Amino acid sequence: MTESDRTPDQGSAANGPKYADRVYRSVPGVIAGVMLLGVAAWLIIDAMVTGTGATPWVALAAAPVFGFPVAAYTLRPIVKANDQRLLVRNPLRTVVAPWATVEGLKAGYSVELLAGGRKFQVWAVPVSLRQRKKASRRAAKATAAGDPHLPATGKKPQRHDQLDPTRAWSDAVVASLQEQADRNATNPAATGEVQATWCWWVIAPTLAGLVALISVVAAT
């Protein structure tokens, strides 16, 4: 675990409630990543065991070129939020933004974080236009039918960690994070600088594997 992934003490005020980190990530993305890595591992091991000539070496060199990027783009992205800061872990970078530096979050065709005068993509919260259309139809039906189990469009959830069920997941997450940013903007413990660090444990092995793969292929 890196320094940027560690969770500081929570609490927007000395006498305020303390909540654990809210964690958001794409479950379908994680499932797809696990499946891809499983298939890749099987193919690479099979090539190394049964392959002839340069095939085992090509498979060995290709392993980090495929494995690290897949893990980075499917398993690594996550968003963590507490009363002091927002942590956005993207495939190649980790961004830690104290709430006082957060200028806003937007969900267009992708989710973007505006903090410290900079713009960052939020990979862990993918936008689905299909989900938006389904959520709009569901909200319209609930409003027309007066369904007591679904809040009317625009009505805030009752619990601090509850997402609006009438919105698409990405829009509900952005609304929840924006509400938390507004609530903690003046929190003395939520100040500091935006930190964006590169994930070298993904970048370095991938580049090294790419060099090795090119060398092996060129030598055959």
Side-chain angles (χ1 to χ4, degrees), residues 109-173:
Y109 291 105
S110 64
V111 175
E112 296 178 341
L113 166 66
L114 306 176
R118 303 165 68 183
K119 181 189 296 185
F120 305 96
Q121 297 294 320
V122 182
W123 283 77
V125 187
V127 171
S128 171
L129 299 181
R130 183 179 179 183
Q131 281 188 5
R132 282 180 176 169
K133 292 179 180 179
K134 291 177 63 176
S136 296
R137 290 196 298 266
R138 186 167 61 247
K141 290 180 180 179
T143 301
D147 190 340
H149 300 291
L150 288 176
T153 303
K155 183 177 179 181
K156 292 183 178 181
Q158 297 299 315
R159 290 171 46 189
H160 81 280
D161 58 348
Q162 181 182 359
L163 297 179
D164 187 347
T166 66
R167 293 184 174 184
W169 180 72
S170 58
D171 296 331
V173 170

Side-chain angles (χ1 to χ4, degrees), residues 185-207:
T186 58
N187 178 8
T191 58
E193 299 292 331
V194 177
Q195 301 177 17
T197 56
W198 291 99
C199 183
W200 291 108
W201 69 264
V202 171
I203 299 173
T206 302
L207 293 178

Side-chain angles (χ1 to χ4, degrees), residues 20-217:
D21 276 16
R22 300 189 212 176
V23 177
Y24 307 97
R25 74 190 316 165
S26 173
V27 175
V30 172
I31 294 174
V34 171
M35 293 178 63
L36 284 173
L37 289 174
V39 172
W42 177 73
L43 292 174
I44 290 172
I45 293 174
D46 181 69
M48 292 176 61
V49 173
T50 63
T52 59
T55 300
W57 297 106
V58 172
L60 182 62
V65 176
F66 181 83
F68 280 96
V70 168
Y73 281 87
T74 60
L75 306 182
R76 176 176 155 79
I78 195 171
V79 172
K80 296 182 180 181
N82 59 32
D83 291 341
Q84 295 183 7
R85 57 94 181 103
L86 176 66
L87 183 146
V88 176
R89 200 168 69 191
N90 285 333
L92 301 180
R93 283 201 299 180
T94 298
V95 179
V96 179
W99 288 118
T101 67
V102 174
E103 298 151 12
L105 293 106
K106 299 191 302 181
Y109 291 105
S110 64
V111 175
E112 296 178 341
L113 166 66
L114 306 176
R118 303 165 68 183
K119 181 189 296 185
F120 305 96
Q121 297 294 320
V122 182
W123 283 77
V125 187
V127 171
S128 171
L129 299 181
R130 183 179 179 183
Q131 281 188 5
R132 282 180 176 169
K133 292 179 180 179
K134 291 177 63 176
S136 296
R137 290 196 298 266
R138 186 167 61 247
K141 290 180 180 179
T143 301
D147 190 340
H149 300 291
L150 288 176
T153 303
K155 183 177 179 181
K156 292 183 178 181
Q158 297 299 315
R159 290 171 46 189
H160 81 280
D161 58 348
Q162 181 182 359
L163 297 179
D164 187 347
T166 66
R167 293 184 174 184
W169 180 72
S170 58
D171 296 331
V173 170
V174 168
S176 177
L177 292 175
Q178 186 63 60
E179 185 274 334
Q180 194 168 4
D182 295 339
R183 188 176 69 246
N184 293 293
T186 58
N187 178 8
T191 58
E193 299 292 331
V194 177
Q195 301 177 17
T197 56
W198 291 99
C199 183
W200 291 108
W201 69 264
V202 171
I203 299 173
T206 302
L207 293 178
L210 183 59
V211 172
L213 180 61
I214 294 174
S215 300
V216 172
V217 172

